[in-house]
Amino acid sequence: MKRGPVPNYKHEAALLDSGYSLIAGLDEVGRGTLAGPVVAGAVILPRNPRRPWVEKIRDSKMLTRLQREDILPYLEDEALAMQTGVSTPEEIDRLGIVKATCLAMERALNSMVLLPQYLLLDAFPLPGVSIPQSAIIKGDAHCLSIASASIVAKVFRDKIMDEADKVYPGYGFSKNKGYATSEHLRMIDEKGPCSIHRYTFSPIKGNFSQNR
């Protein structure tokens, strides 16, 4: 586990004191990649969680893959509700990344077995959703529910990109997860983009015709 801020429960605790009981953290993964979907995670933690596994929760970027996959079963077993939502590369190209990210979050919320009473989001609010909400700067690093959502989204998206590597070999999706690594950029230049690349993102935009 890398060093970094330890997420806390103070935002959720303050909301509990205000009378809310179903508080969902939301976060997204894959917003800045050149390929693959954007995935949103939504998690409602149990009230005042104090189990040993809670101490392992960090922003997903601060954890190794094995650490994330170790935490996920605890979230699956003990979260009051947990869900993911996906926006496809086609939707990202058509709607733009901001609207597509919001759509993924709305899909995650709409799939939950419990309707949250309050939302905690990383950095940006979710317009068009009537649920009360707060956007917290660096929320995935400081807020326990948002950090939990980041883990859920990251594990789910990594599996999608592992499968994409089998369907579209050569781009290194199982390693780069669609991010603009030097190897990935070189393979785009050599092979051209595939159907899960984002054709409105540079350097693909303007250099290649759509091949879906």
Side-chain angles (χ1 to χ4, degrees), residues 105-122:
M105 289 185 172
E106 291 171 9
R107 286 170 172 165
L109 287 173
N110 291 336
S111 299
M112 298 188 87
V113 296
L114 296 173
L115 179 65
Q117 298 169 335
Y118 203 98
L119 307 179
L120 296 172
L121 302 106
D122 181 31

Side-chain angles (χ1 to χ4, degrees), residues 4-12 25-28 57-62 120-125 134-148 150:
V6 178
N8 60 65
Y9 197 72
K10 68 178 184 180
H11 295 93
E12 295 91 334
L26 280 87
D27 200 15
E28 55 75 25
I57 294 175
R58 298 289 188 279
D59 170 11
S60 64
K61 297 185 293 294
M62 304 302 296
L120 296 172
L121 302 106
D122 181 31
F124 300 102
S134 295
I136 303 169
I137 300 301
K138 296 184 179 179
D140 50 4
H142 298 291
C143 174
L144 193 65
S145 294
I146 299 175
S148 298
S150 77

Side-chain angles (χ1 to χ4, degrees), residues 1-207:
M1 184 183 297
K2 299 178 183 177
R3 292 186 177 182
V6 178
N8 60 65
Y9 197 72
K10 68 178 184 180
H11 295 93
E12 295 91 334
L15 290 167
L16 290 172
D17 289 342
S18 299
Y20 295 100
S21 58
L22 299 176
I23 303 159
L26 280 87
D27 200 15
E28 55 75 25
V29 174
R31 183 167 174 154
T33 67
L34 299 181
V38 60
V39 175
V43 177
I44 301 177
L45 292 174
R47 188 182 184 97
N48 295 312
R50 300 188 186 279
R51 302 288 185 87
W53 61 268
V54 175
E55 299 177 3
K56 299 179 181 181
I57 294 175
R58 298 289 188 279
D59 170 11
S60 64
K61 297 185 293 294
M62 304 302 296
L63 301 172
T64 67
R65 178 167 188 161
L66 288 177
Q67 288 169 335
R68 292 190 294 266
E69 292 178 348
D70 178 62
I71 294 168
L72 186 66
Y74 293 103
L75 289 170
E76 291 173 333
D77 289 342
E78 302 202 31
L80 301 182
M82 188 181 86
Q83 193 54 264
T84 55
V86 174
S87 283
T88 66
E90 294 88 347
E91 289 172 325
I92 293 167
D93 284 339
R94 176 166 52 86
L95 300 173
I97 188 58
V98 173
K99 289 184 178 179
T101 299
C102 290
L103 180 59
M105 289 185 172
E106 291 171 9
R107 286 170 172 165
L109 287 173
N110 291 336
S111 299
M112 298 188 87
V113 296
L114 296 173
L115 179 65
Q117 298 169 335
Y118 203 98
L119 307 179
L120 296 172
L121 302 106
D122 181 31
F124 300 102
L126 185 58
V129 173
S130 59
I131 302 172
Q133 57 189 266
S134 295
I136 303 169
I137 300 301
K138 296 184 179 179
D140 50 4
H142 298 291
C143 174
L144 193 65
S145 294
I146 299 175
S148 298
S150 77
I151 293 170
V152 171
K154 176 63 173 169
V155 173
F156 188 80
R157 189 179 187 277
D158 280 358
K159 291 179 179 178
I160 291 176
M161 297 310 294
D162 288 344
E163 290 301 312
D165 192 49
K166 300 174 185 177
V167 179
Y168 306 101
Y171 296 99
F173 289 144
S174 64
K175 293 188 294 184
N176 61 51
K177 308 308 181 193
Y179 285 92
T181 64
S182 58
E183 178 190 10
H184 187 186
L185 292 172
R186 178 174 61 81
M187 294 310 298
I188 292 173
D189 187 57
E190 291 181 7
K191 294 165 61 75
C194 69
S195 63
I196 66 164
H197 277 99
R198 302 174 183 179
Y199 285 78
T200 56
F201 280 38
S202 296
I204 300 170
K205 180 179 180 181
N207 294 323

